């Protein structure tokens, strides 16, 4: 397959993957050639007779595996964003092979012996060397042959199970969709949305998004329809309960093999938190106040409803109370949040004000789907910075949620500029403009914060490029970027009626600001419940088996003091993709941990005049540009000028 597009670097600008040329049959040959090539490169490094140096060992490892990197980056972007039966079969086949490949490198004793001898006085090199040593130790490089053999088995089975979990969840989004025959049952939706849900057989299907409280629950007026939607949401992919229990047991065994009491201890040792005690102390400060707030909110909602509310009632009646208390109707804002304008005059505008960057659409550069738009990003002086891709719409073959990933990692070693993509899951209208909810606007700003972290990376080595930072730090810059959603100068620039161009009325802006702390009890409890559920699965001791995953889940929430009947976890075990199909196992606490840093940083921006170039430059220089090339908390201290405090977060969430 001489024409395989992965065998040579892309000739497109910024080495954007040539998606128009890539076919499914290219992936497996490219994966296998890429793995073979990297193994040969690693063998040459490990078998070198030259004394080990940073350049001939660590930098050489950074230079290895280019075909594999190109292939995996493109493939897994497609697998999550634009999958197919063929892609899913390839993923099942290749995932265990990739795990074996990774193990063969990190369990190579000759290579590990060389790494242990490398020294360097350069600070960035020293940090990368430390990361490599930690990676190899945590991967089992110091284990005996017998222990390494068992570790390989565990890693391979976990890889296979993770793929099964993700693929079952992808299918469940449509297989467990709410289907109605009478469009009157969808009362509360705009007619254009109802039209977009119509199927060829005349029924109407509402696919599930990947969290418990489906956004439609706040709009649907029919209580029985809400109940059916909620029950479909929490009951999807039931086979995933057994997969999750098996994965938790395997992770506990692996942690013990590596010298840790449980998987959570193994995970946090490599994060900014460092210890399970630090995580539990922080979470412990939040549970009590959050549950009390949620209890008060439940009483108020019951008063509005006239009966004790159920989980499927909460979003609907909270919206009613918010309307009554603040005279605020979330649906009244949607005409002012048109997708293209949100990006052009909101997200891009704020980035320009803060960082001096500009965006130019490149219709000549294609993405992996017709809905994907490509933008070239320029510095203030007109020099090229990178590419930003936007994939905004939900699809049956796209996983739920919203995320950012790199298609090309910035690296001075290779002279590569970054190519990043943001994925959302906005419902595509049958016709007319795409109007967003306030939550969807916030999500768009959040994901673009990740994109900025990738775009502004200015490091030598791909291992520490962009968002290659600890999980409990990576959400921090993206959460900071949410502050510009309602910043007056930004909001006034993008929140304009899609038909008239009139700005959002001042009174609606005031109501939005006043209502921002509303329902924080619910929001904090549903998040903490998911966090503590993740924690319970990953504090299991080695050998501790869970026969009934649903009973385990209920007991874990009760034990943690977070079992509020009307507020279910944001993710239940069976669709908790963050921890069973992604990299957040024992790490879902990261969002609230990062929010401590975020709240501190928002306070700093406000103290220093907000949307000013010098503020953006300070944040970019001290933090965003550094990627994972230094200790992340030292980067935070360089930016903020002090250690983080929890008080700004407590105030923000109404928990002080």
């Amino acid at each position: 397959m001489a024409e395989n597009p992965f065998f040579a670097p892309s000739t497109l600008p910024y080495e954007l993957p040539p998606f128009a040329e890539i076919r499914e049959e290219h992936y497996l040959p490219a994966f296998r050639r890429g793995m073979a090539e990297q193994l040969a490169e690693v063998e040459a490094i490990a078998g070198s007779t030259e004394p080990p140096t940073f350049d001939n060992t660590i930098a050489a490892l950074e230079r290895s595996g280019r075909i594999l990197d190109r292939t995996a980056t493109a493939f897994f972007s497609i697998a999550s964003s634009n999958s197919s039966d063929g892609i899913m079969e390839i993923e099942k086949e290749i995932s265990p092979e990739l795990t074996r490949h990774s193990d063969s490198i990190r369990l190579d004793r000759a290579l590990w012996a060389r790494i242990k001898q490398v020294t360097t006085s350069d600070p960035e090199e020293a940090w990368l060397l430390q990361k490599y040593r930690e990676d190899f130790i945590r991967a089992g490089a110091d284990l005996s042959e017998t222990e390494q053999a068992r570790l390989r088995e565990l890693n391979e089975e976990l890889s296979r199970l993770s793929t099964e979990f993700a693929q079952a969840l992808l299918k469940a989004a449509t297989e467990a969709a709410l289907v109605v025959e009478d469009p009157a049952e969808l009362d509360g939706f705009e007619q254009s949305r109802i039209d977009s849900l119509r199927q060829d057989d005349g029924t109407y299907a509402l696919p599930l998004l990947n969290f418990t409280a489906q956004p439609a629950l706040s709009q649907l007026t029919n209580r029985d329809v809400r109940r059916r939607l909620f029950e479909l949401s929490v009951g999807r992919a039931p086979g995933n309960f057994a997969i999750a229990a098996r994965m938790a047991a395997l992770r506990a065994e692996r942690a013990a093999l590596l010298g840790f009491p449980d998987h959570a201890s193994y995970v946090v040792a490599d994060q900014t938190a460092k210890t399970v005690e630090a995580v539990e102390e922080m979470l412990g400060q939040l549970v009590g106040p959050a549950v009390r707030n949620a209890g008060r909110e439940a009483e108020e909602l019951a008063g509005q409803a006239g009966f004790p509310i159920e989980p499927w009632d909460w979003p609907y009646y909270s919206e009613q109370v918010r309307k009554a208390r603040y005279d605020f109707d979330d649906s009244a804002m949607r005409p002012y949040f048109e997708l293209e304008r949100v990006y052009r005059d909101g997200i891009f505008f704020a980035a320009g004000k803060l960082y001096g960057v500009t965006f130019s659409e490149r219709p000549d550069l294609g993405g992996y789907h017709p809905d994907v738009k490509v933008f070239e990003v320029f510095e203030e002086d007109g020099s090229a910075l990178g590419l930003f891709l936007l994939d905004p719409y939900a699809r049956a073959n796209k996983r739920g949620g919203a995320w950012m990933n790199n298609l090309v990692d910035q690296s001075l070693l290779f002279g590569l500029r970054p190519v990043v993509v943001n994925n959302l899951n906005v419902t595509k209208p049958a016709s007319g403009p795409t109007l967003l909810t306030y939550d969807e606007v916030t999500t768009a700003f959040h994901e673009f914060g990740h994109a900025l972290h990738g775009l502004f990376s200015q490091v030598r080595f791909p291992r520490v490029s962009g968002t290659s930072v600890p999980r409990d730090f990576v959400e921090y810059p993206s959460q900071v970027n949410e502050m510009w959603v309602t910043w007056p100068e930004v909001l006034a620039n993008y929140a304009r009626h899609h038909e008239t161009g009139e700005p959002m009325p001042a009174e609606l802006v005031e109501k939005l600001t006043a209502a921002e702390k509303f329902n924080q009890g619910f929001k904090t409890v549903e998040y903490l419940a998911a966090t503590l559920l993740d924690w319970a699965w990953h504090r299991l001791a080695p050998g501790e088996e869970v026969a009934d995953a649903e009973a385990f889940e209920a007991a874990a929430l009760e034990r943690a003091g977070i079992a509020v009947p009307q507020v279910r976890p944001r993710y239940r075990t069976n669709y908790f993709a963050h921890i069973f199909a992604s990299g957040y196992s024992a790490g879902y606490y990261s969002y609230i941990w990062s929010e401590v840093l975020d709240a501190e940083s928002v306070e700093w921006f406000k103290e220093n005049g907000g949307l000013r170039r010098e503020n953006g430059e300070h944040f970019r220089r001290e933090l965003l540009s550094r990627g994972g090339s230094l200790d992340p908390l030292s980067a935070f201290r360089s930016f903020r000028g002090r250690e983080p405090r929890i008080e700004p977060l407590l105030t923000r969430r109404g928990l002080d």
Side-chain angles (χ1 to χ4, degrees):
M1 298 183 67
E3 77 282 4
N4 192 308
F6 293 114
F7 290 172
S10 169
T11 58
L12 293 175
Y14 304 91
E15 294 196 18
L16 174 71
F19 291 110
E21 301 173 19
I22 298 170
R23 300 190 302 275
E24 288 183 3
E25 58 263 32
H26 290 139
Y27 286 115
L28 284 175
F31 269 122
R32 287 168 179 152
R33 177 165 165 175
M35 287 187 282
E37 180 183 88
Q38 187 173 35
L39 285 180
E41 292 166 335
V42 168
E43 287 173 9
I45 296 167
S48 171
T49 57
E50 296 291 322
T53 66
F54 183 89
D55 187 66
N56 70 20
T57 305
I58 303 301
L61 286 170
E62 288 288 283
R63 288 189 287 265
S64 72
R66 300 309 295 156
I67 290 177
L68 181 58
D69 182 67
R70 288 193 293 270
T71 308
T73 299
F75 177 80
F76 287 107
S77 291
I78 296 297
S80 59
S81 303
N82 195 35
S83 192
S84 67
D85 290 342
I87 290 292
M88 293 171 77
E89 286 303 313
I90 294 169
E91 188 176 17
K92 285 181 183 177
E93 185 172 349
I94 204 63
S95 292
E97 292 184 32
L98 290 171
T99 299
R100 288 195 293 271
H101 174 73
S102 176
D103 283 344
S104 68
I105 294 173
R106 292 186 176 181
L107 300 181
D108 185 315
R109 294 192 184 281
L111 179 62
W112 177 224
R114 284 186 68 84
I115 290 173
K116 288 191 286 188
Q117 296 176 61
V118 172
T119 61
T120 179
S121 58
D122 177 272
E124 188 171 348
E125 291 180 355
W127 179 257
L128 181 62
L129 175 59
Q130 178 184 329
K131 291 290 102 184
Y132 262 87
R133 287 176 173 164
E134 290 172 357
D135 287 347
F136 273 69
I137 291 170
R138 291 172 60 79
D142 283 334
L143 298 181
S144 68
E145 294 289 346
T146 302
E147 291 169 329
Q148 285 189 356
R150 178 55 183 156
L151 183 64
R152 290 173 192 265
E153 293 172 354
L154 291 170
N155 288 341
E156 190 169 333
E157 186 174 358
L158 281 165
S159 175
R160 178 181 59 80
L161 290 171
S162 178
T163 300
E164 287 182 18
F165 188 100
Q167 293 190 354
L169 194 51
L170 180 63
K171 290 180 179 179
T174 50
E175 291 176 356
L178 173 72
V179 179
V180 302
E181 295 184 359
D182 184 355
E185 292 189 281
L186 300 177
D187 181 59
F189 285 175
E190 296 172 352
Q191 187 59 47
S192 61
R193 186 174 187 192
I194 295 174
D195 293 342
S196 73
L197 301 177
R198 185 178 171 87
Q199 306 298 293
D200 292 338
D201 63 1
T203 62
Y204 297 80
L206 180 65
L208 298 178
L209 300 182
N210 201 39
F211 21 76
T212 298
Q214 299 293 302
L217 293 172
S218 67
Q219 299 168 277
L220 293 167
T221 61
N222 186 312
R223 191 182 188 209
D224 186 61
V225 173
R226 293 199 304 269
R227 176 190 59 76
R228 285 159 51 199
L229 176 60
F230 181 84
E231 290 176 349
L232 287 167
S233 178
V234 298
R236 77 186 92 168
N240 276 355
F241 281 113
I243 294 175
R246 177 64 179 159
M247 289 182 71
L250 293 173
R251 286 168 173 169
E253 182 184 348
R254 183 176 62 183
L257 200 58
L258 294 167
F260 293 88
D262 50 54
H263 182 69
S265 300
Y266 167 76
V267 168
V268 299
D270 193 39
Q271 304 297 301
T272 64
K274 299 301 182 189
T275 67
V276 293
E277 290 78 15
V279 175
E280 290 170 355
E281 180 184 357
M282 186 266 290
L283 296 176
Q285 295 180 63
L286 302 174
V287 170
V291 169
R292 288 193 292 275
N293 274 13
R296 287 193 292 269
E297 290 169 5
E299 291 176 6
E300 188 171 8
L301 299 186
Q304 175 73 21
F307 51 79
I309 63 165
E310 297 287 352
W312 50 86
D313 297 316
W314 191 301
Y316 182 78
Y317 285 103
S318 67
E319 192 60 30
Q320 303 307 304
V321 169
R322 183 159 62 166
K323 289 178 185 177
R325 180 186 297 175
Y326 301 104
D327 191 24
F328 177 82
D329 181 358
D330 191 48
S331 64
M333 305 188 73
R334 292 189 70 218
Y336 298 92
F337 293 149
E338 192 274 320
L339 175 70
E340 289 196 20
R341 187 152 206 158
V342 166
Y343 274 89
R344 183 185 68 243
D345 298 336
I347 292 171
F348 294 167
F349 171 79
K353 285 286 186 179
L354 276 170
Y355 308 111
V357 291
T358 56
F359 300 80
S360 177
E361 189 170 350
R362 291 289 304 267
D364 58 312
L365 297 179
Y368 47 80
H369 187 277
D371 288 339
V372 178
K373 291 190 173 183
V374 182
F375 299 86
E376 190 167 11
V377 190
F378 298 95
E379 297 279 18
E380 192 169 30
D381 63 5
S383 59
L385 178 61
L387 292 180
F388 169 70
L389 281 69
L390 175 64
D391 183 0
Y393 294 119
R395 292 185 288 275
N397 63 349
K398 183 180 186 181
R399 71 176 172 89
W403 66 96
M404 167 268 184
N405 59 279
N406 287 0
L407 293 172
V408 177
D409 290 325
Q410 177 275 329
S411 163
L412 298 178
L413 182 69
F414 293 115
L416 291 174
R417 297 189 179 96
V419 177
V420 304
V421 57
N422 274 178
N423 275 271
L424 308 179
N425 260 284
V426 176
T427 300
K428 189 175 184 178
S431 61
T434 302
L435 304 180
L436 306 182
T437 65
Y438 175 63
D439 283 347
E440 287 170 337
V441 173
T442 302
T443 298
F445 273 81
H446 174 99
E447 295 305 328
F448 194 73
H450 286 305
L452 290 173
H453 202 178
L455 286 166
F456 289 153
S457 176
Q458 190 65 15
V459 300
R460 288 165 62 191
F461 304 106
R463 165 66 176 78
V464 292
S465 178
T467 55
S468 300
V469 296
R471 285 289 185 190
D472 57 6
F473 192 83
V474 73
E475 298 298 334
Y476 155 50
S478 55
Q479 289 173 186
V480 170
N481 205 58
E482 293 178 28
M483 74 175 289
W484 308 116
V485 174
T486 54
W487 194 262
E489 185 181 354
V490 179
L491 187 67
N493 201 60
Y494 77 87
R496 293 180 174 270
H497 198 282
H498 71 99
E499 293 177 335
T500 67
E502 291 295 313
M504 184 181 288
E507 60 269 22
L508 196 54
V509 176
E510 291 167 5
K511 291 171 186 176
L512 170 63
T513 304
E516 278 195 307
K517 284 188 181 178
F518 176 72
N519 211 33
Q520 279 296 328
F522 173 89
K523 292 177 181 178
T524 308
V525 166
E526 72 157 2
Y527 166 76
L528 288 175
T531 300
L532 291 161
L533 178 58
D534 168 29
W535 206 244
W537 278 116
H538 295 115
R539 291 304 307 274
L540 288 175
E544 192 175 351
E545 298 283 343
V546 173
D548 186 336
E550 292 191 74
F552 173 85
E553 178 179 283
L557 297 175
E558 193 70 41
R559 188 169 58 250
I562 199 75
V564 178
Q566 306 94 329
V567 186
R568 303 295 171 82
R570 183 170 175 81
Y571 303 101
R572 288 191 71 201
T573 299
N574 46 320
Y575 46 95
F576 208 160
H578 281 77
I579 66 172
F580 293 115
S582 188
Y584 278 79
S585 60
Y588 196 63
Y589 78 90
S590 302
Y591 289 90
I592 202 86
W593 187 274
S594 292
E595 197 177 344
V596 173
L597 308 178
D598 153 37
E600 276 271 37
S601 301
V602 169
E603 189 177 83
W604 179 90
F605 272 103
K606 290 178 177 178
E607 289 171 353
N608 288 276
L611 196 73
R612 301 170 62 216
R613 282 284 284 111
E614 49 265 51
N615 290 345
E617 282 304 306
H618 179 60
F619 192 47
R620 176 177 178 175
R621 180 181 62 253
E622 300 298 337
L623 202 140
L624 295 178
S625 68
R626 308 302 295 275
S629 65
L630 77 170
D631 173 60
L633 287 182
S634 70
F636 171 83
R637 287 189 291 269
S638 295
F639 162 69
R640 188 64 178 97
R642 69 176 187 219
E643 297 289 336
R645 301 173 304 131
I646 198 171
E647 286 77 11
L649 169 65
L650 298 177
T651 299
R652 170 192 287 184
R653 285 186 171 254
L655 302 178
D656 53 350

